[in-house]
């Protein structure tokens, strides 16, 4: 019987570590590239010591019950861990780990890809061209919005928010940001960043990019009131977690042109989209690809595997997000 259950096929780099350390017979991998059905998850975790978890899988009281008392670690292959009930994990003394750091720059790169794609209408105009609709250059065709010199608002100035801000220097963009805490003054000046309240952020940003974690406090931080407070020429970019934005109200705002556009990597109820979102020409939408590069996914799988190795060897796993269990 496997000691470790991996809830989906993962990059080889991570699997290799588990196989080399524990032997292939100790590692069970759900043999699919798709999300494991809930009943299979509940069955497969029974009695295991470690779960290598993918962010689409919910680890809640029911799943902890299904796993049972042998469970020593849940290693989430993501920096965000809102798919795990942390209170429940901690109550049961199970350490949860994540993969911080390695996906910071990759996600920041993608944020910029989205921002630029929305501002310059890349997906919309590409479809037009591929469709054979282009009749030649036109002075009014697909006019977009200048990016350089505009004000970039950052909601959540953690590692990824800072990496996004750093890239804005090349575009000569001043930064406004909100965060739970102000970052230090030297970093503010390096990033050309000014700490403001949310009201100012909404009012003054030309591009507003979300980089906070998803928690009870950040749920629906952006809804109709926020969109109404933004410039009608502004764009919203979200590469954090879908439920930080009220997606139905965003569709409404895009439809009514309350704001000019949005670019989204994440959605409230993935893989579903709010009704009408796929019909908004002023929305760039991609399927949760923030960390999706060969290099970064290999690093994430490696880190998650290393956390399992550490824990099953009796050490404190290096990326534990609930260290109080020790
Ligand atoms: C991806 O969304 C992650 O949290 O790593």
């Amino acid at each position: 019987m496997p000691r470790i259950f991996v809830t989906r096929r993962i990059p080889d780099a991570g699997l290799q570590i588990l196989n080399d350390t524990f032997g292939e017979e100790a590692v069970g991998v759900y043999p699919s590239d798709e999300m494991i059905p809930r009943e299979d998850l509940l069955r497969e975790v029974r009695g295991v010591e470690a779960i290598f978890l993918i962010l689409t899988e919910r680890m809640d009281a029911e799943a902890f019950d299904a796993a049972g008392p042998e469970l020593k670690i849940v290693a989430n292959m993501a920096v965000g861990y809102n798919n795990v009930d942390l209170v429940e994990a901690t109550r049961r003394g199970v350490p949860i780990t994540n993969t911080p750091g390695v996906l910071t720059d990759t996600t920041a790169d993608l944020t910029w890809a989205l921002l630029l794609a929305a501002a310059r209408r890349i997906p919309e105009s590409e479809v037009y061209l591929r469709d054979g609709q282009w009749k030649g250059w036109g002075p009014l065709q697909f006019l977009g919005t200048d990016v350089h010199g505009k004000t970039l608002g950052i909601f959540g100035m953690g590692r990824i928010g800072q990496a996004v801000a750093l890239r804005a220097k090349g575009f000569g963009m001043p930064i406004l940001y909100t965060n739970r805490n102000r970052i230090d003054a030297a970093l503010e000046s390096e990033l050309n960043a000014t700490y403001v309240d949310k009201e100012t952020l909404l009012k003054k940003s030309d591009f507003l990019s979300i980089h906070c974690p998803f928690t009870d406090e950040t749920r629906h931080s952006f809804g109709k009131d926020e969109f109404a407070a933004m410039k009608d020429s502004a764009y919203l970019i979200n590469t954090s977690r879908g439920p930080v934005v009220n997606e139905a109200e965003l569709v409404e705002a895009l439809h009514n042109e309350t704001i000019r556009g949005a670019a989204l990597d994440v959605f409230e109820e993935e893989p579903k989209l709010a009704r009408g979102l796929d019909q908004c020409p002023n929305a760039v939408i991609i399927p949760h690809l923030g960390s999706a590069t060969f290099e970064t996914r290999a690093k994430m799988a490696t880190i998650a595997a290393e956390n399992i190795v550490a824990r099953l060897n009796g050490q404190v796993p290096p990326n534990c997000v609930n260290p109080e269990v020790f």
Side-chain angles (χ1 to χ4, degrees):
M1 176 178 146
R3 298 173 64 196
I4 300 156
F5 180 60
V6 182
T7 63
R8 196 185 295 204
R9 288 185 46 208
I10 56 167
D12 286 344
L15 196 57
Q16 192 76 47
I17 292 171
L18 296 176
N19 285 342
D20 288 352
T21 312
F22 302 104
E24 277 182 38
E25 59 303 333
V27 184
V29 181
Y30 195 74
S32 170
D33 287 329
E34 287 178 11
M35 191 174 159
I36 182 171
R38 182 73 177 170
E39 62 272 23
D40 291 3
L41 176 78
L42 297 179
R43 187 188 60 242
E44 297 292 340
V45 296
R46 205 172 299 149
V48 300
E49 292 172 62
I51 300 175
F52 185 117
L53 194 72
I54 302 302
L55 63 82
T56 46
E57 271 69 84
R58 218 166 6 94
M59 198 65 210
D60 53 11
E62 184 188 36
F64 282 109
D65 279 345
E70 295 308 314
L71 187 64
K72 294 191 175 59
I73 179 170
V74 175
N76 205 36
M77 191 185 122
V79 65
Y81 45 88
N82 54 290
N83 54 318
V84 179
D85 184 336
L86 204 59
V87 174
E88 199 58 45
T90 305
R91 193 175 72 72
R92 293 164 189 252
V94 179
I96 307 301
T97 63
N98 70 342
T99 64
V102 291
L103 48 75
T104 301
D105 286 310
T106 303
T107 306
D109 290 350
L110 184 94
T111 304
W112 274 92
L114 280 176
L115 187 159
L116 290 164
R120 300 304 300 272
R121 303 175 64 180
I122 306 285
E124 196 189 345
S125 58
E126 200 206 358
V127 166
Y128 174 87
L129 178 59
R130 284 181 190 273
D131 255 17
Q133 295 189 57
W134 194 36
K135 305 283 181 296
W137 188 87
L140 298 177
Q141 256 172 26
F142 287 108
L143 303 187
T145 300
D146 271 334
V147 173
H148 62 271
K150 295 286 175 62
T151 297
L152 175 61
I154 302 225
F155 186 77
M157 194 58 129
R159 278 182 296 252
I160 298 174
Q162 289 172 27
V164 169
L166 188 65
R167 284 155 174 75
K169 283 178 126 181
F171 289 85
M173 297 169 83
I175 307 288
L176 302 176
Y177 77 97
T178 59
N179 198 38
R180 253 172 316 189
N181 303 306
R182 193 166 171 174
I183 58 173
D184 72 52
L187 189 55
E188 276 186 355
S189 103
E190 189 196 327
L191 297 173
N192 192 16
T194 307
Y195 188 55
V196 294
D197 57 17
K198 188 175 173 191
E199 203 184 327
T200 309
L201 188 83
L202 294 167
K203 202 160 125 204
K204 297 269 176 63
S205 299
D206 296 304
F207 296 90
L208 208 168
S209 193
I210 302 175
H211 299 289
C212 62
F214 169 46
T215 62
D216 286 343
E217 269 162 67
T218 62
R219 176 189 296 279
H220 286 185
S221 292
F222 291 84
K224 63 176 180 330
D225 294 340
E226 283 74 19
F227 304 134
M230 288 169 72
K231 296 184 184 185
D232 57 10
S233 56
Y235 292 77
L236 185 76
I237 298 106
N238 189 10
T239 54
S240 68
R241 284 290 184 268
V244 177
V245 174
N246 182 324
E247 206 171 297
E249 292 181 6
L250 176 62
V251 171
E252 195 72 15
L254 289 170
H255 187 73
N256 298 334
E257 298 182 12
T258 310
I259 60 174
R260 190 174 283 166
L264 308 173
D265 183 40
V266 288
F267 304 90
E268 259 198 273
E269 287 181 37
E270 297 178 6
K272 280 194 262 165
L273 303 182
R275 186 203 291 268
L277 181 59
D278 60 349
Q279 301 302 314
C280 293
N282 49 352
V284 175
I285 48 175
I286 57 169
H288 203 148
L289 298 176
S291 61
T293 64
F294 294 111
E295 299 93 330
T296 291
R297 286 284 165 83
K299 287 183 199 151
M300 290 165 72
T302 298
I303 290 180
E306 286 171 350
N307 276 284
I308 291 177
V309 171
R311 174 61 173 149
L312 297 196
N313 283 338
Q315 294 148 18
V316 175
N319 304 104
C320 186
V321 298
N322 56 343
E324 59 275 29
V325 298
F326 290 103

